[in-house]
Amino acid sequence: MQKYLAKSNPPETIQEHTDNLLKNYQTLKKLYPEINIDWYLLELVCLLHDLGKMNRLFQKKVGNGSGVGKEIPHGYLSVAFVPYSKLEDLGYSEDEIQVVYQAIARHHERKKDFTEQEWETEIEKLSEQWETFFYERLADNADYSSEIDTIYFYPEARIFEGEDTVGSENFKNYVQLKGLLNRIDFAASAGIDVELENDFLQESMEHQLANFREKNAAADWNLLQKYMLQHQNENVVVIAETGMGKTEAGLLWLGNHKGFFTLPLRTAINAIYTRVTREIVTDKQAQRVGLLHSETYSQYLLHEENTEMEIDEYYTRTRQMSLPVTICTLDQLFDFVFRYAGFEHKLATLSYSKVIIDEIQMYSPDLLAYLILGLSYIDKFGGKFCVMTATLPGIVLDLLHDNEVDFIQPEEKFVSERVRHSVEVVHTEIDSVFIKPFFHDNRILVICNTISKAKKIYSELKAMFPNKKVRLIHSQFIKKDRSKKEEEIFEDGQKDNPESCIWVATQVVEASLDIDFDLLFTELSDINGLFQRMGRCYRNRALDVDTNVYVFDGGEKVCSGVGQFIDKTIFMNSKKALEKCNGALTEMKKMEIVEQIYSTEALKKSEFYDELTQALNYVKSFDSYELDKKEVRSKFRNINSITAIPATVWQENKEEITSYMEILARSSKEVSKKEKMIARTNLAEFMLNIPDYLYKKSEGEVHRINRYETVIEFKCDYSEDIGIIM
């Protein structure tokens, strides 16, 4: 028997690699027997997917033979081993057999750069290798044919999803079969389990309740949490005010099931991850709870004391979606809506998972469109979702219905009778002179719509109170300084903190920080953003003053940012609604105003509505596989900024910055993957995202690290107090 390799480093035969796939196949089948998949066909594609690697040119590449000619991707050759006669005898339809061929041929999304004649020639040559190949686990699935019927497969064929086949059984079967083959194959190649069992979360939640009862014997889950517990097997949309325990409610709904918890902002995700791993799932976190966003590795470095295993393995498990619970950003999960080449493993995973969507009102129109479409796919494929939000734009419900998404809603909103905010509307632009007399041994939060306005107000207040603590936070600080500021505002924003201070901020504080200031002075953005901002003042306490929120509506003008990133129609509607909001404002009243301003009818003439509907139609207009993954990442993130290091920061830290660049420039034989990840994480501490419009006002010097990576030094001044100074 000839020995054929599947991999060279370390050496692994085709049979050994396939054994690892079959082990993961059994794990998946045992943990999630309810997955809507033909288990025999999934086992079959696992058995056959790499048999094409026995061709001479692949074996030459892995140092196990010789040959001359053009190598054809092995998936296209593995189709020669599909036992189509057996499948016909078993009663599989032409469509179902096509799906088997397609899943095997395209389990790696490789570009087709060969002719049909070249493919047929290589298929014929495989007969020699087949004679010397033996794998007992093929059993009666062992078959080879140099003639492949074109009704089943030819290289140009692709199972496409046009408008006439959206949701077709054939396409669903293909996504499930290829997607789960990918998951199993990725896990086998990475040397990890394809899935780890969630056998802990319900017990962890019971322990959490027991901890509450140690402090208060009468403690129990509230009405929201009980509702979620009772509707674990349904798609749910619930509205609940801030402070109602939405995190616990979501985890109770998830129960002992595979799940993803999504939030709009990385800082909020990091905070939830820290809380869950330190307060709820306090044991074996590296096998149970993952954190998935663009800075996962750096966050794991911070939490390394909580993991009892090598951080690289934890990172790999997270990236491969093998963990029972993953807390993540929307773009890490929902980019599958573009149906790019290689999307199937995400949707196949979500077909047996539960997804928690928190703070839906924070998403921009394009992200909201992707979310709506994503939920419609999850529903069609058999997964479950719950949407939990403090305020729910009415248009969201209409769009879910329009896209035939099935869900339930409780008859009542989960809202208390308490009043936390009393509002005074100020009919001028935001004004530091107005704010000045309110500062005396208290903690004040000032929120502006734009960074330039925030810098102006900060400078004025700093000049008024030179010996007092006045701070500024926005998105144009390097990561190291931004992290320090987030920690500092979090400490200053605790209601029992005796130190007086003024913090001037932008919308970066709207939904990411658990802070509770005494007074809020804010520009009007839109009503949704305003209510989010109010949540940073008297967050968890009842109103005990005449006024604690001052809203500047711009007077005869509009506020900063309106017409740029704040929709003018929504702003004007919000301004009008505010006329009735002077004085105490109940939580129920807030929810009613949001529903009214964000109803489909009220939004119809707004840019928000146009962007939302255009994004929905835009994504639906693509054929499957029209885009590649790289294109989708840029579209999904809507990138309009450049990552760079300010020149001042570069000069002050040149030695340290270049030392990290030197590590990244060295080959993988010289430095380990972990050393490179640590260097990349440390280098990112000096970086920030500079908006396009600012970047164009100056120039950037490009420093090359290696063939693929560069670092931009942006010509601007920088201060750790103010951020970028143009």
Side-chain angles (χ1 to χ4, degrees):
M1 182 185 76
Q2 180 71 34
K3 183 178 177 183
Y4 294 104
L5 292 180
K7 287 180 171 52
S8 58
N9 186 25
E12 182 180 54
T13 66
I14 291 171
Q15 292 94 326
E16 288 166 341
H17 177 60
T18 309
D19 284 344
N20 288 330
L21 261 80
L22 293 174
K23 180 182 159 201
N24 273 311
Y25 162 84
Q26 291 296 344
T27 298
L28 188 67
K29 189 175 180 181
K30 180 186 166 199
L31 292 181
Y32 300 105
E34 74 282 2
I35 296 175
N36 185 19
I37 186 78
D38 185 309
W39 290 102
Y40 164 65
L41 293 185
L42 182 57
E43 183 177 24
L44 181 68
V45 296
C46 288
L47 282 164
L48 308 181
H49 80 294
D50 267 3
L51 295 186
K53 283 183 175 178
M54 67 177 81
N55 81 81
R56 287 176 303 164
L57 293 170
F58 182 87
Q59 291 304 308
K60 179 188 177 185
K61 186 168 74 176
V62 292
N64 189 39
S66 62
V68 179
K70 179 197 264 184
E71 186 191 342
I72 290 175
H74 66 269
Y76 287 100
L77 302 179
S78 296
V79 295
F81 304 97
V82 175
Y84 64 90
S85 296
K86 178 183 176 183
L87 293 173
E88 286 173 340
D89 293 342
L90 288 171
Y92 285 101
S93 69
E94 185 182 304
D95 282 349
E96 289 168 322
I97 298 173
Q98 269 186 356
V99 163
V100 171
Y101 276 96
Q102 289 281 349
I104 292 169
R106 301 180 188 280
H107 72 274
H108 295 300
E109 292 291 346
R110 303 270 158 77
K111 298 282 186 192
K112 179 189 168 292
D113 62 349
F114 53 87
T115 66
E116 204 133 337
Q117 184 57 56
E118 287 170 331
W119 172 68
E120 287 172 0
T121 302
E122 286 302 308
I123 291 274
E124 285 174 16
K125 287 179 184 174
L126 280 171
S127 62
E128 293 175 39
Q129 283 78 37
W130 180 240
E131 286 174 14
T132 60
F133 181 85
F134 175 73
Y135 183 37
E136 62 183 353
R137 296 181 80 167
L138 282 172
D140 63 350
N141 292 307
D143 200 355
Y144 163 78
S145 174
S146 61
E147 301 282 328
I148 296 168
D149 196 323
T150 55
I151 65 164
Y152 292 136
F153 182 79
Y154 56 95
E156 273 75 22
R158 189 48 126 157
I159 294 185
F160 284 101
E161 181 190 16
E163 283 195 38
D164 56 336
T165 57
V166 171
S168 74
E169 281 307 304
N170 201 35
F171 191 76
K172 270 192 199 175
N173 291 340
Y174 173 64
V175 170
Q176 290 292 78
L177 194 63
K178 179 184 181 287
L180 294 178
L181 169 62
N182 284 151
R183 285 289 315 287
I184 289 166
D185 191 18
F186 296 160
S189 296
I192 60 170
D193 292 322
V194 66
E195 289 290 358
L196 292 164
E197 186 175 6
N198 183 348
D199 57 0
F200 59 87
L201 190 54
Q202 281 180 203
E203 189 179 343
S204 296
M205 296 308 294
E206 286 165 15
H207 282 163
Q208 180 77 332
L209 183 58
N211 291 337
F212 293 154
R213 283 176 175 160
E214 282 180 15
K215 296 171 187 171
N216 174 10
D220 197 3
W221 299 125
N222 63 29
L223 291 175
L224 165 68
Q225 292 156 348
K226 285 178 179 174
Y227 179 87
M228 298 302 284
L229 198 51
Q230 288 158 8
H231 295 89
Q232 282 185 328
N233 298 316
E234 293 168 280
N235 296 332
V236 184
V237 176
V238 295
I239 304 171
E241 72 171 279
T242 302
M244 288 288 280
K246 291 201 294 291
T247 302
E248 283 83 359
L251 295 174
L252 285 166
W253 174 81
L254 182 56
N256 279 3
H257 211 91
K258 184 176 182 70
F260 296 86
F261 198 125
T262 72
L263 292 111
L265 298 169
R266 271 203 306 266
T267 42
I269 291 166
N270 293 341
I272 293 278
Y273 170 75
T274 300
R275 193 177 153 225
V276 168
T277 52
R278 289 184 180 165
E279 294 178 21
I280 299 172
V281 183
T282 55
D283 190 30
K284 300 179 184 174
Q285 294 99 329
Q287 295 165 303
R288 293 176 167 179
V289 183
L291 176 75
L292 186 57
H293 55 54
S294 58
E295 295 174 6
T296 296
Y297 202 92
S298 59
Q299 284 299 309
Y300 281 178
L301 289 172
L302 295 175
H303 290 265
E304 195 169 1
E305 75 279 1
N306 287 340
T307 69
E308 70 253 331
M309 63 167 51
E310 182 60 32
I311 199 167
D312 284 357
E313 190 170 343
Y314 187 17
Y315 180 69
T316 301
R317 283 178 169 170
T318 306
R319 300 294 305 175
Q320 299 291 359
M321 304 199 299
S322 296
L323 292 164
V325 180
T326 304
I327 302 164
C328 61
T329 48
L330 196 69
D331 65 301
Q332 293 289 343
L333 208 55
F334 275 66
D335 60 354
F336 70 82
V337 297
F338 281 95
R339 307 183 309 281
Y340 56 85
F343 79 93
E344 299 88 355
H345 70 284
K346 288 190 179 180
L347 186 49
T349 303
L350 293 172
S351 76
Y352 60 93
S353 302
K354 298 169 83 172
V355 183
I356 300 163
I357 311 290
D358 197 3
E359 303 295 0
I360 197 171
Q361 79 285 346
M362 289 290 293
Y363 291 110
S364 59
D366 53 346
L367 292 180
L368 188 55
Y370 308 151
L371 180 59
I372 299 288
L373 277 179
L375 294 180
S376 75
Y377 274 98
I378 291 168
D379 184 38
K380 284 186 180 81
F381 272 72
K384 297 292 176 199
F385 70 84
C386 81
V387 173
M388 301 185 302
T389 184
T391 53
L392 181 68
I395 194 170
V396 171
L397 296 176
D398 290 343
L399 287 170
L400 288 172
H401 287 304
D402 290 348
N403 285 275
E404 299 177 343
V405 182
D406 186 37
F407 64 92
I408 62 165
Q409 263 192 293
E411 289 181 17
E412 294 181 14
K413 300 176 179 71
F414 295 100
V415 57
S416 67
E417 295 297 316
R418 70 177 175 171
V419 178
R420 296 183 295 147
H421 301 115
S422 181
V423 177
E424 181 179 321
V425 181
V426 186
H427 301 296
T428 65
E429 293 181 72
I430 193 163
D431 181 9
S432 53
V433 174
F434 182 97
I435 298 167
K436 183 181 179 182
F438 290 91
F439 185 41
H440 46 80
D441 296 325
N442 57 359
R443 294 169 305 112
I444 287 178
L445 179 62
V446 182
I447 304 182
C448 302
N449 293 342
T450 62
I451 293 172
S452 57
K453 181 69 79 173
K455 286 178 178 176
K456 177 179 180 291
I457 296 293
Y458 165 76
S459 299
E460 291 169 357
L461 289 169
K462 186 79 176 163
M464 290 172 185
F465 301 105
N467 301 316
K468 297 287 187 179
K469 184 173 189 178
V470 182
R471 297 284 187 272
L472 174 67
I473 184 170
H474 53 68
S475 60
Q476 285 175 16
F477 286 100
I478 61 171
K479 187 166 182 286
K480 182 165 62 170
D481 293 341
R482 169 93 175 257
S483 298
K484 276 187 208 161
K485 285 176 178 290
E486 283 171 356
E487 286 173 21
E488 195 178 0
I489 193 173
F490 178 78
E491 287 171 18
D492 288 346
Q494 300 311 301
K495 65 184 177 188
D496 53 359
N497 188 327
E499 188 180 0
S500 62
C501 62
I502 300 177
W503 274 88
V504 182
T506 58
Q507 68 268 31
V508 294
V509 299
E510 274 183 21
S512 59
L513 296 165
D514 188 0
I515 50 179
D516 187 346
F517 279 78
D518 301 321
L519 287 175
L520 171 68
F521 296 85
T522 178
E523 282 190 282
L524 176 62
S525 54
D526 62 88
I527 210 78
N528 222 336
L530 174 62
F531 293 158
Q532 286 295 314
R533 293 173 184 188
M534 285 187 190
R536 311 308 114 193
C537 165
Y538 274 61
R539 184 169 175 79
N540 283 311
R541 46 179 160 155
L543 187 68
D544 57 4
V545 292
D546 291 337
T547 305
N548 57 0
V549 176
Y550 295 86
V551 183
F552 297 83
D553 70 0
E556 296 300 310
K557 302 178 183 178
V558 296
C559 293
S560 66
V562 175
Q564 294 168 281
F565 55 89
I566 298 167
D567 186 288
K568 191 167 183 180
T569 303
I570 295 174
F571 173 83
M572 296 309 293
N573 290 346
S574 300
K575 190 170 181 175
K576 192 174 178 184
L578 263 187
E579 292 170 7
K580 304 169 189 170
C581 291
N582 264 316
L585 194 58
T586 66
E587 299 303 308
M588 184 61 81
K589 181 68 175 172
K590 290 178 192 173
M591 292 177 182
E592 286 168 1
I593 292 170
V594 168
E595 283 176 24
Q596 167 201 330
I597 288 177
Y598 283 86
S599 69
T600 304
E601 190 180 349
L603 288 174
K604 279 236 161 127
K605 293 178 182 174
S606 69
E607 285 182 21
F608 180 96
Y609 182 82
D610 290 343
E611 283 180 43
L612 179 54
T613 51
Q614 280 169 18
L616 278 165
N617 294 330
Y618 175 67
V619 180
K620 287 178 180 178
S621 72
F622 287 108
D623 281 331
S624 296
Y625 314 107
E626 190 175 329
L627 303 174
D628 65 29
K629 191 172 183 180
K630 195 173 178 183
E631 285 178 280
V632 167
R633 299 308 284 172
S634 63
K635 286 178 188 296
F636 198 94
R637 287 180 175 167
N638 196 13
I639 295 168
N640 57 359
S641 62
I642 283 75
T643 302
I645 299 176
T648 313
V649 174
W650 188 288
Q651 296 310 318
E652 288 172 359
N653 302 277
K654 192 171 184 179
E655 196 175 317
E656 190 177 348
I657 288 168
T658 50
S659 73
Y660 298 137
M661 290 171 66
E662 282 164 11
I663 292 170
L664 293 171
R666 287 155 74 184
S667 72
S668 53
K669 290 178 182 175
E670 296 175 291
V671 292
S672 68
K673 179 184 171 186
K674 185 173 182 178
E675 285 175 290
K676 285 200 172 195
M677 291 296 276
I678 291 170
R680 190 169 283 113
T681 297
N682 289 335
L683 184 60
E685 291 290 306
F686 298 105
M687 294 179 175
L688 50 70
N689 288 328
I690 297 168
D692 275 349
Y693 74 89
L694 264 189
Y695 189 74
K696 287 169 184 169
K697 288 183 180 179
S698 185
E699 57 184 281
E701 184 180 343
V702 178
H703 299 266
R704 183 157 292 284
I705 295 175
N706 52 41
R707 245 173 94 191
Y708 309 103
E709 293 177 279
T710 58
V711 179
I712 295 172
E713 178 186 353
F714 182 57
K715 305 298 180 188
C716 69
D717 281 333
Y718 178 86
S719 148
E720 64 182 47
D721 294 328
I722 295 171
I724 285 178
I725 303 162
M726 297 302 294

